[in-house]
Amino acid sequence: MPTYSGFSDPGSTTATALNTASSSYIGGSLTSTSNIFQNSIGGSDLIDTYKFTVSSSSIVNLNLDGLSSNADLYLLNSTGGTITKSAQSGNTSESISTSLAIGTYYAQVYDTASNTNYNLSFSANPILDSGRLATDNTIANAYTIPTPLSGSNPNYSTTDFVGDQSGITDSSVIQDAKDFYKVDLASNGTLNITLNGLTADANLVLLRSGPSIIQSSNQTGTTSESIVTSSLAQGSYYIQVYANTKNVTNYGLQVAFTPDQVDNAGNTLAAARNITTLPSSFSDFVNSSDNLDYYRLDLTTLTNSDALVDISLKPTSANADLQLLDSSGSGIQSSQQSGIATDAIRRSLKAGVYYILVTPGTGAATNYDLSVSTTPIAADQAPNTQNTAKNIGVLTASQSLNEFVGNIDTDDYYTFSLNSNSLFSLNLSNLSDNADVQLIDSTRVVIQSSANTGTANETINTSLSAGTYLVRVYTSGLANTFYNLNLSTTAQAHIIDLNPGSNSSSPDNLTAWNNTLYFTANDGSVGSQLWKSGGTVANTSRITNINPGSFNPANLTVFNNKLYFTANDGTKGTELWVYDGTQSQIFSDINPNSASSNPSNLTVVGNSLFFTADNGTNGREVWVYDGTQLHLVKDIYSGAQSSSPTNLTAVNGKLYFAANNPSNGTELWVSDGTVNGTQVIDIKPGTLGSSPANLTAVGSTLYFTANNGTSGYEVWKYQTGVASLVKDVTPGNNAVAPSYLTAVGNGLYFVKYSDDFKPELWKTDGTSGGTVRVKNDTTQAPNIGFGASNLTAVGNTLYFITPDNATGLELWKTDGTDANTGLVKDIWVGPDSNNSIPQSLINFNGSLYFAASDGSSREVWSSDGTALNTRKVSNIYANGNADPAKLTAVGTRLFFTATNGTNGTELWVI
């Protein structure tokens, strides 16, 4: 409701009144919306005058409240004459409600005591004028309801107005204290009259001509009035609506007539009226001499199944009661509402014969309407115990189930599992009766329940960790209902904001250790330091505060239940450090004093930690820590020159890598950590070398790419001490090496290129015959454009991204066969340039998670390999680019970096 304050003080006369109709305030005549003017009076300002207009004959309401001392309220006509006033004592609120004709009026607030603030509200509701304001005020002038009420025309309704403003003589006030209606009944029956929609006190009377009162209703205030009379004889009657003194109100009048019925129901069990169709409705009557009405319900014949039975009994003029009986006439359930309230029975029943009995209340005589309907109940799909619960499997998206609970099936149990921490939502809906729900953990403890009354939906929303859970849907008492159960789960994403505000902490080097994430970040105070997180803000903390601004830890690697990393303490340069879960300390000073050895390529091989470093004397070579001693493995390029080892890879307890020296060029090497056990695997003898790269372990086999000088760059393998070419996939001495070597199960996938960079996706089992192109058609994806990339294994399925003319750059998958290689989902629908560009693909608890764009935002997505279950699982930056990256699985949590557009690039977790 609009409220106005701070305006210039209203004048004390009608000539200087504040005009509420101006565009600064109401902007016209009063409406049903209250408009409030806040001001004060007192001292030399004893009167405030407000001008308002009424554009149609209306009930005008003025209210003065918020008083701290006495003030009165006056209503004036257009010439300033007083129409009426409200003068309560003390700080009691003042109010005026009256019926006014079209025109201009004034409200005045009078100060009678001392200073006071006030709220003055104005509203008006148009009078519901039937056009009979001055013509239906006596029985002689009663308005005749047009159609005589009978069985074919039983109802009449209208709206009108009554107003008794006794003592008010102003011609602006509309007076209409009484309305009379004449009703003609075409037959005997029950008359039901309702007066409602009141805004002030009005009453209702039913009369015979004469007049003599048959019945009246005199509720106080705005309570609806009601008259119900049974056994009225055919003829004419009068209905009077009148307003109590000083009251004005619109009203609604409804008149309903129910003719007396003919008795069709049997009066004994044997003579019961047979229900032959469903649903069925019956109209009949009961009284003291006809006090048993039986109906026979044969579910075996009518539904041939268990059924939910709904029975409704609506008496029209007096009390009647309802019973459901079994085949022998014994009571199953009853309903005994008082008066003419509807009796209802809702019960689930096994197939069989039942009876319905209608009886009158003590001394009552009434017509009634009986309705019977049934809904067949299908065979129960949700077992009734926890141990036999219906298993709906791993819940990864949304799942809906439809079932029934009631008298014959009081409990339904479902079990499901979650693979990751998730926001779980349950909605029990489409209820026709009360049912409740519980969420139960694997130890049979109730986690959360929802037990709303009636047919209100039941909902549960909570965070759950990975595990197995039960859902119980149940009823009690006489409740019976079908239901829809929707279960859904969304992996949760929440921010761990390390550098508050718009600045970024830029988390990096995300590494899992003992179900905890270790990483580097800059909180804006001491530069990049080592941090850890258990997935919440509370259990995220900075581990180090060393050499602020220049510590720069990197290369985080877990070895022997400790975390090794490189960092610069400002004294000994960038060297190898260790964190044992309690403290961080420098582990070695390979290049003494302030010089840096810059360790990198940290690689765990069995019980040894290998890495590359430069001690300032031997150049960059391979070093090893075997848990006891740290030493240079071998000076492969003798002297201060570096062999520049790369691609450090563990296979069968040994380290494989590529390195360079003057004798062999860049070749493949193997090491057990000793000088003698570090040997070259010379694929291309001579000083040029085979340039091995892309070292990838598949079980006990090492795959890599190399050039032997005759076959060009191809995929090789090293197994049982022998290096061999897998297959000359691109005949001739080609110059472009295969890439994206990826282990999937016991096989290897890779992308091979021709010299003009045309890509093809291939797979191999290590044999020449088992090295084949995955998709045969070289004119279609993934063998076009820049081909497949971001190859990622989830189980025995390879996921990758590739461009396609019809869908753009999207997510694909393969099981290695041509038929099962294809698009997972067109996430950003449409051809190029509608590219979702999936990135940071990762296997998280058996599902693929990745970052992608759908055209509106870039968020984290998950997929089980089907389009249906490929869905967005975060909503970090709606309609923006959250730019999720560095997805890292830590137990049941998925960590990554992202921005919500407000907090910069920070750590997030699902």
Side-chain angles (χ1 to χ4, degrees), residues 125-142:
N125 291 293
I127 288 175
L128 300 178
D129 182 8
S130 65
R132 303 188 297 271
L133 285 176
T135 60
D136 58 357
N137 298 336
T138 65
I139 284 182
N141 293 326

Side-chain angles (χ1 to χ4, degrees), residues 12 38 75 332 357 538 577 588 626 669 730 741 759 814 820 824:
S12 60
Q38 296 179 331
L75 173 63
I332 298 175
L357 174 61
W577 285 64
S588 65
D626 61 9
W669 287 73
T730 306
L741 276 64
T814 183
N820 292 329
V824 175

Side-chain angles (χ1 to χ4, degrees), residues 649-892:
T649 304
V651 182
N652 266 357
K654 292 186 178 181
L655 178 72
Y656 293 82
F657 57 97
N660 175 67
N661 67 18
S663 301
N664 305 104
T666 301
E667 279 294 353
L668 184 67
W669 287 73
V670 61
S671 177
D672 62 2
T674 67
V675 173
N676 292 333
T678 302
Q679 300 292 329
V680 67
I681 302 170
D682 202 358
I683 294 171
K684 183 181 179 181
T687 60
L688 295 178
S690 64
S691 301
N694 301 299
L695 278 63
T696 304
V698 180
S700 60
T701 301
L702 174 70
Y703 287 91
F704 56 99
T705 60
N707 185 347
N708 64 0
T710 58
S711 301
Y713 286 95
E714 297 289 350
V715 174
W716 287 65
K717 69 177 179 178
Y718 185 78
Q719 189 178 39
T720 62
V722 177
S724 60
L725 173 67
V726 173
K727 184 175 183 176
D728 191 0
V729 173
T730 306
N733 194 12
N734 62 297
V736 184
S739 65
Y740 300 111
L741 276 64
T742 303
V744 181
N746 294 321
L748 180 81
Y749 288 81
F750 60 94
V751 178
K752 80 96 178 177
Y753 303 89
S754 61
D755 282 341
D756 57 358
F757 288 95
K758 290 183 179 179
E760 294 175 3
L761 181 63
W762 283 64
K763 69 172 183 177
T764 182
D765 62 1
T767 68
S768 177
T771 303
V772 295
R773 186 168 49 236
V774 172
K775 195 76 174 175
N776 292 324
D777 191 341
T778 59
T779 67
Q780 298 294 322
N783 302 323
I784 60 174
F786 52 75
S789 61
N790 289 30
L791 278 62
T792 304
V794 179
N796 290 318
T797 299
L798 176 74
Y799 291 89
F800 57 95
I801 66 171
T802 191
D804 179 72
N805 294 331
T807 61
L809 186 59
E810 296 290 347
L811 180 68
W812 283 53
K813 71 170 184 177
T814 183
D815 64 359
T817 66
D818 187 301
N820 292 329
T821 300
L823 177 73
V824 175
K825 183 173 184 174
D826 188 6
I827 294 172
W828 188 341
V829 178
D832 185 49
S833 62
N834 292 355
N835 303 308
S836 72
I837 314 178
Q839 291 179 333
S840 198
L841 280 64
I842 185 174
N843 179 352
F844 177 46
N845 289 336
S847 294
L848 181 75
Y849 281 71
F850 55 97
S853 303
D854 62 3
S856 63
S857 63
R858 186 167 183 82
E859 297 286 346
V860 178
W861 287 65
S862 71
S863 178
D864 66 355
T866 67
L868 178 64
N869 288 327
T870 299
R871 59 196 181 95
K872 185 158 53 178
V873 296
S874 71
N875 186 23
I876 294 168
Y877 192 175
N879 301 318
N881 180 9
D883 196 24
K886 301 173 185 174
L887 276 64
T888 304
V890 183
T892 59

Side-chain angles (χ1 to χ4, degrees), residues 28 47 139 258 342 537 558 603 713 810 909:
I47 302 174
I139 284 182
T258 305
T342 299
V537 173
V558 177
T603 306
Y713 286 95
E810 296 290 347
V909 62

Side-chain angles (χ1 to χ4, degrees), residues 186-351:
S187 62
N188 297 347
T190 299
L191 191 63
N192 190 324
I193 310 167
T194 302
L195 183 69
N196 56 19
L198 303 174
T199 57
D201 192 14
N203 299 315
L204 185 63
V205 181
L206 178 65
L207 310 98
R208 290 189 183 90
S209 57
S212 61
I213 295 175
I214 299 173
Q215 192 174 335
S216 62
S217 177
N218 301 284
Q219 300 291 330
T220 59
T222 60
T223 304
S224 298
E225 309 287 349
S226 177
I227 291 175
V228 179
T229 59
S230 59
S231 302
L232 278 182
Q234 177 183 358
S236 297
Y237 299 86
Y238 295 89
I239 299 168
Q240 179 187 358
V241 179
Y242 68 94
N244 275 348
T245 304
K246 299 295 184 181
N247 285 309
V248 292
T249 181
N250 292 319
Y251 66 82
L253 179 69
Q254 297 88 40
V255 184
F257 177 68
T258 305
D260 288 342
Q261 303 289 327
V262 177
D263 184 20
N264 290 309
N267 302 127
T268 65
L269 209 65
R273 184 173 183 175
N274 198 38
I275 299 173
T276 58
T277 60
L278 289 172
S280 285
S281 297
F282 307 94
S283 296
D284 217 305
F285 71 93
V286 285
N287 55 29
S288 57
S289 59
D290 178 19
N291 60 1
L292 299 171
D293 278 3
Y294 286 95
Y295 298 83
R296 184 175 183 270
L297 176 63
D298 186 351
L299 292 181
T300 302
T301 300
L302 293 171
T303 66
N304 194 30
S305 68
D306 300 343
L308 177 61
V309 178
D310 284 288
I311 310 169
S312 175
L313 175 69
K314 184 174 179 59
T316 57
S317 57
N319 181 244
D321 297 321
L322 180 65
Q323 294 182 63
L324 175 65
L325 313 175
D326 65 17
S327 59
S328 64
S330 299
I332 298 175
Q333 190 173 331
S334 64
S335 177
Q336 297 175 323
Q337 299 293 325
S338 59
I340 61 169
T342 299
D343 284 290
I345 291 176
R346 165 172 259 246
R347 185 98 183 186
S348 51
L349 299 172
K350 296 289 187 180

Side-chain angles (χ1 to χ4, degrees), residues 67-125:
L67 303 173
S68 58
S69 63
N70 190 43
D72 296 334
L73 180 62
Y74 283 72
L75 173 63
L76 311 180
N77 62 24
S78 60
T79 63
T82 299
I83 297 174
T84 187
K85 67 177 182 178
S86 176
Q88 301 292 328
S89 61
N91 59 4
T92 303
S93 297
E94 310 286 353
S95 64
I96 293 174
S97 181
T98 189
S99 47
L100 297 177
I102 298 171
T104 300
Y105 301 89
Y106 299 87
Q108 282 189 334
V109 181
Y110 275 76
D111 178 19
T112 64
S114 58
N115 295 344
T116 180
N117 293 322
Y118 65 81
N119 302 317
L120 176 62
S121 65
F122 298 82
S123 65
N125 291 293

Side-chain angles (χ1 to χ4, degrees), residues 561-603:
N561 204 31
K562 294 180 182 179
L563 183 70
Y564 290 80
F565 59 97
T566 60
N568 187 338
D569 66 356
T571 301
K572 297 183 179 180
T574 301
E575 295 292 346
L576 189 64
W577 285 64
V578 64
Y579 173 67
D580 62 5
T582 303
Q583 63 178 356
S584 297
Q585 61 185 11
I586 192 167
F587 180 74
S588 65
D589 189 10
I590 292 174
N591 198 340
N593 302 318
S594 61
S596 299
S597 70
N598 291 313
S600 61
N601 300 301
L602 278 65
T603 306

